[in-house]
Every structure is written in structure tokens, then in C-alpha cells.
Amino acid sequence: MNTKKDNTEDKILDAAKNVFVKKGMEGARMQEIADEAGINKALLHYYFRSKDKLFDAIFSKIIGLAFPKIGEIFQSDQAFAWKVEQVIDTYLSLLMKHPYLPAFILKEVNRDPSMFFKLVLKHGFSPAPIFEIIEEAMDRGEIIRMNPQHLVVHVLSMCIFPFAAKPIIHFVLFDEDKQATQAFFDERKQEVKQFVLRAITPELK
């Protein structure tokens, strides 16, 4: 019985994710989500009483994918260069698996920033410890002196932007060549890691 319930809930969440990604919070309708999940609307309301509750569940799931891992990596005892490489590996792997994330998050953050930040806080993510770890790496001479906020934004931007702008990259840079576009994205991990490490490591500059 529990397995059936779990399967139905997973089916609803997958369907809701598809509809929310296409339509956004404001454009999505509960009937559409029920149709996408292959269930009736009454059953959908049994699991999630309102569109707001369902959206919160989806957005919480996405925030849970996107943020906590970075804290775990930075809290490890490994060298700072390893941490940078792991963050890049982790987030590019995540975006390759869920390429809809950047556009979806940006759309909903612009619609209601307060909701986004409440969910981030709910999952316990805080950038302050990461900035402290970056400062400590600078004090040890592992990386050059810089503004920690800029470093975080540089890394996230290089990971996220190509996925947010994938249609533009596909059309403008590769003339709609799917193989060339895919090859470009397959190369991103190594390219971004090399670029960042060359920029921040004293002996590599």
C-alpha cells in the first residue's frame, strides 16, 4: 500500500515538474497536472490540496538538489583546488541531468524572490561559511587574494549560464548541429575547472 502511495506521489511530482517548467507557477493548472500524471483531479487534491502546496514541494525538491552539496564539499578537509573541482563536477553533472533548472529557477525567482529565499533558508544553506573557507585559503596562500563573493559567482556563472542559454549556443555557435553542441557541453567540466584553477592558483598564473 505504501509503495503504491509513493509511486503515485512520485508520478504527481514528475508531472507537476513538467507542467511547472513549461508554464510556470502562474500558468500551470491542477487539471493539466492531473492529466499529465494520468490521474483524476480528485486524487491529485488528495495528495496536494492546492497548487501552492504542490509548487512548494517541487521547488523544495529542486532547491534540495541545487544547494546543499556545495556546503558539504567546502566543509571537507581536502585542498581548496579539490573543492573547486568537486563543486564544478557536481553542478555540471546536476545540470546535465536536469537542464531545465536554470531557466525554471530564474523565472520563479523573478516572479517571487521571497519564496525562493525562504526555501533556501529552509534547507539550511548559508553562503557565510563558504566565504570564510575561501578567506582561509587566501590566508594560507592556496589562492590569490580576491573578493570571495566574486569567486562564488564566477564559478556558478560558468556552470549555469551555458545551460540557461543553451538554445542560443546551439543556434548561434554551432548552427543547430546537435553533435557539436553536445560535444561542447561534454567538454565543459574540464574547461571550467582549468579556467578557474588557472585564474586563482598563484603558481599557475
Side-chain angles (χ1 to χ4, degrees), residues 12 28-51 54:
I12 291 170
R29 297 289 177 267
M30 291 294 270
Q31 186 61 60
E32 283 182 278
I33 294 168
D35 293 342
E36 179 84 10
I39 60 174
N40 61 52
K41 195 174 176 181
L43 184 58
L44 176 59
H45 279 285
Y46 169 78
Y47 281 91
F48 297 95
R49 296 193 178 191
S50 70
K51 185 171 75 169
L54 183 51

Side-chain angles (χ1 to χ4, degrees), residues 50-75:
S50 70
K51 185 171 75 169
D52 286 344
K53 289 186 182 299
L54 183 51
F55 186 83
D56 284 350
I58 293 294
F59 213 82
S60 291
K61 191 174 182 181
I62 288 171
I63 295 300
L65 286 172
F67 285 95
K69 187 67 177 175
I70 194 169
E72 294 175 17
I73 292 169
F74 271 102
Q75 291 294 337

Side-chain angles (χ1 to χ4, degrees), residues 107-154:
K107 182 194 294 183
E108 296 307 325
V109 166
N110 286 323
R111 183 185 65 83
D112 185 0
S114 64
M115 178 203 63
F116 173 79
F117 295 119
K118 283 177 187 174
L119 287 171
V120 170
L121 292 172
K122 177 182 172 183
H123 283 273
F125 178 79
S126 170
I130 293 171
F131 298 149
E132 289 177 15
I133 291 166
I134 295 172
E135 290 280 3
E136 289 167 2
M138 289 190 283
D139 292 341
R140 292 191 301 270
E142 286 188 65
I143 59 175
I144 63 171
R145 183 64 56 182
M146 69 188 77
N147 183 325
Q149 286 89 344
H150 280 301
L151 177 56
V152 170
V153 171
H154 289 331

